[in-house]
């Protein structure tokens, strides 16, 4: 068990701190393997109750978004809300820099696949404001 708090619908695995050990990311936290010590990715002041609702972290992915050699974090919020990516601070203290990928994700489960054949996963979802696939 990583935590008794309800922090995310999903989780992702990746070597966050480049120490050769797989870590886990869920919601606003990453858990350093193999002992699962929690660390904050961003400030979260909401308390989620899994018996009456959802978190703001539906899907979580790890990928080196900026291609700097460090695993970054992609967080898909509730359908109709944003998709974010968080820039790994490379073992520096503090919150991860937040970037927006999509303002209006219209899918409950966007795809995370290599669409263009470049060897890197892409996010495929519907934009609920423009009514287009993006």
């Amino acid at each position: 068990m990583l935590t008794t708090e309800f922090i995310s619908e999903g989780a992702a695995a990746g070597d966050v701190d480049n120490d050769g050990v797989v870590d886990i990311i869920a919601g606003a936290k990453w858990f350093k393997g193999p002992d699962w010590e929690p660390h904050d990715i961003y400030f979260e002041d909401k308390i989620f109750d899994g018996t009456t609702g959802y978190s703001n972290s539906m899907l979580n992915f790890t990928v080196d978004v900026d291609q700097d050699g460090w695993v970054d974090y992609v967080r898909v919020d509730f359908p109709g809300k944003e998709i974010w990516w968080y820039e790994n601070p490379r073992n520096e203290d503090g919150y991860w820099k937040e970037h927006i990928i999509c303002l209006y994700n219209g899918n409950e489960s966007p795809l995370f696949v290599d669409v263009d054949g470049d060897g890197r996963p892409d996010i495929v979802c519907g934009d609920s404001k423009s009514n287009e696939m993006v």
Side-chain angles (χ1 to χ4, degrees), residues 25-39:
I25 292 178
K29 298 193 179 296
W30 72 275
F31 299 86
K32 180 176 174 48
D35 298 324
W36 314 122
E37 175 188 349
H39 300 271

Side-chain angles (χ1 to χ4, degrees), residues 14-24 30-37 39 69-71 88 91:
D15 186 2
V16 170
D17 54 358
N18 277 353
D19 66 354
V21 177
V22 174
D23 307 300
I24 296 175
W30 72 275
F31 299 86
K32 180 176 174 48
D35 298 324
W36 314 122
E37 175 188 349
H39 300 271
W70 293 80
V71 169
N88 189 320
N91 290 333

Side-chain angles (χ1 to χ4, degrees), residues 4-9 44-58 78:
T4 58
E5 298 174 279
F6 174 53
I7 58 174
S8 182
E9 309 295 324
E44 181 61 74
D45 61 350
K46 298 176 188 165
I47 298 174
F48 302 108
D49 180 355
T51 64
T52 61
Y54 299 98
S55 74
N56 64 0
S57 177
M58 303 306 280
F78 200 77

Side-chain angles (χ1 to χ4, degrees), residues 6-11 26-27 42 53-61 73-82 105 107-110:
F6 174 53
I7 58 174
S8 182
E9 309 295 324
Y42 59 89
Y54 299 98
S55 74
N56 64 0
S57 177
M58 303 306 280
L59 299 173
N60 302 178
F61 302 106
Y73 168 42
V74 174
R75 176 178 64 92
V76 178
D77 202 328
F78 200 77
K81 304 279 280 177
E82 301 87 356
N105 163 44
N107 294 63
E108 186 167 324
S109 299

